[in-house]
Amino acid sequence: MQEQHTDRSEPPRLRLDGITVRFGGLTALDSVSLDIPAGRIVGVMGPNGAGKTTLFNVICGVFPPTEGSLELDGQGFTPRPHNLTRSGVARTLQGLGLFPGLTALQNVTAGLAAGSRGGLDLLALPGAVRREARLAERSMQALEALGIGGYAASLSDTLPYGIRKKVALARALVSEPRLLLLDEPAGGLSHDDIEELASIIRTVPGDGCSVVLVEHHVDLVMDVCDRIAVLDFGRLIAEGTPAEIGADPAVADAYLGVEVA
Ligand SMILES: Nc1ncnc2c1ncn2[C@@H]1O[C@H](COP(=O)(O)OP(=O)(O)OP(=O)(O)O)[C@@H](O)[C@H]1O
């Protein structure tokens, strides 16, 4: 199945139209069309090598698709990795990507500065100082919203892994994105941390933000997502609600015995 563009009255937050990615002779994504509705959480699942990371990379502009196009809120969208925040798109990375020599607060502020016009001001002009104070205040609020304000002054590499994951999430959320891309956020987390992550992810659409969740952790995807897309060998083999995906024999086949419901 490929076409499932639904509500024609309002454009989806993100539309992927016929996305194909080839690496030499290998087709990593094969004409994938998928809508991410506004204010919804959409999971992308699939076995190893299915094309999940490749899809994420296309949405982030790491490389352009070989064929196909993207739209953001109905406008043609050519993502550029260094301009994503300004497009209203934020992401977390599998490897966290925090600056080890910076505090938790400074790491979050870096996420804001990436989206602002001048980046962080290095000259301590009065206006610049005020602006930096505002950025720091917003960053602190982002940390507090995730319950980790108490770690603001700690160097990020001294923090427990679960807290670092939250710092990375705060850095993505601080820019108030309209599209949040989460790349395997549950990787390396304990069961309790994953439950907490699930409740955090569920709050994101409250601000109208859409979420794309690329994740191996099937339980988390089933738990938090409004809709789920399943890739297998680069093809979109299923798209639907968690209940529909859990009952889809093609999905069960793709996972070869891995329990999905
Ligand atoms: N830069 C690249 N050059 C060549 N082949 C690549 C490249 N990136 C990915 N591939 C291939 O494309 C296919 C899809 O890979 P991708 O990493 O997107 O899958 P995935 O679903 O994210 O897998 P995993 O769950 O193991 O991370 C695989 O066969 C992979 O080997």
Side-chain angles (χ1 to χ4, degrees):
M1 58 161 298
Q2 293 288 317
E3 291 291 330
Q4 61 327 103
H5 299 161
T6 44
D7 185 357
R8 296 263 165 205
S9 58
E10 184 189 333
R13 178 57 38 82
L14 180 70
R15 170 164 286 175
L16 306 174
D17 195 2
I19 299 291
T20 293
V21 174
R22 293 193 196 92
F23 297 113
L26 184 130
T27 302
L29 288 175
D30 188 358
S31 195
V32 171
S33 294
L34 178 68
D35 282 357
I36 311 295
R40 292 281 183 270
I41 304 172
V42 177
V44 178
M45 288 178 16
N48 289 329
K52 303 180 295 295
T53 303
T54 303
L55 190 71
F56 192 89
N57 285 337
V58 166
I59 300 171
C60 293
V62 175
F63 43 72
T66 313
E67 289 165 23
S69 59
L70 298 88
E71 284 180 15
L72 193 64
D73 287 322
Q75 305 290 315
F77 177 48
T78 304
R80 310 233 181 262
H82 302 297
N83 242 346
L84 269 187
T85 313
R86 221 177 286 172
S87 310
V89 180
R91 63 176 156 167
T92 64
L93 303 166
Q94 278 180 41
L96 296 183
L98 296 179
F99 300 108
L102 297 186
T103 66
L105 184 71
Q106 288 167 333
N107 265 287
V108 176
T109 305
L112 262 182
S116 67
R117 260 178 296 151
L120 273 179
D121 291 295
L122 299 177
L123 295 172
L125 301 172
V129 169
R130 273 198 304 277
R131 200 171 72 84
E132 282 204 33
R134 275 202 308 276
L135 294 181
E137 193 183 328
R138 275 179 66 187
S139 304
M140 191 65 202
Q141 286 166 356
L143 287 172
E144 282 168 352
L146 298 188
I148 52 170
Y151 296 98
S154 304
L155 288 177
S156 63
D157 53 348
T158 65
L159 295 172
Y161 189 70
I163 303 294
R164 278 189 275 158
K165 279 254 176 182
K166 284 191 186 172
V167 174
L169 193 53
R171 184 176 61 182
L173 287 169
V174 72
S175 61
E176 298 176 356
R178 50 184 164 155
L179 178 65
L180 175 65
L181 307 169
L182 300 175
D183 192 8
E184 302 202 11
L189 291 184
S190 68
H191 178 75
D192 286 352
D193 283 343
I194 291 175
E195 291 215 331
E196 205 184 339
L197 174 69
S199 41
I200 292 169
I201 294 172
R202 276 192 217 101
T203 65
V204 175
D207 296 326
C209 179
S210 303
V211 180
V212 177
L213 172 64
V214 173
E215 181 57 64
H216 270 292
H217 201 285
V218 174
D219 288 345
L220 176 66
V221 176
M222 287 290 182
D223 184 21
V224 302
C225 291
D226 298 300
R227 301 193 69 81
I228 297 172
V230 184
L231 294 172
D232 192 27
F233 293 109
R235 288 189 315 109
L236 184 68
I237 59 163
E239 197 274 347
T241 64
E244 288 165 347
I245 294 302
D248 191 323
V251 175
D253 277 356
Y255 274 87
L256 287 175
V258 174
E259 214 174 296
V260 293

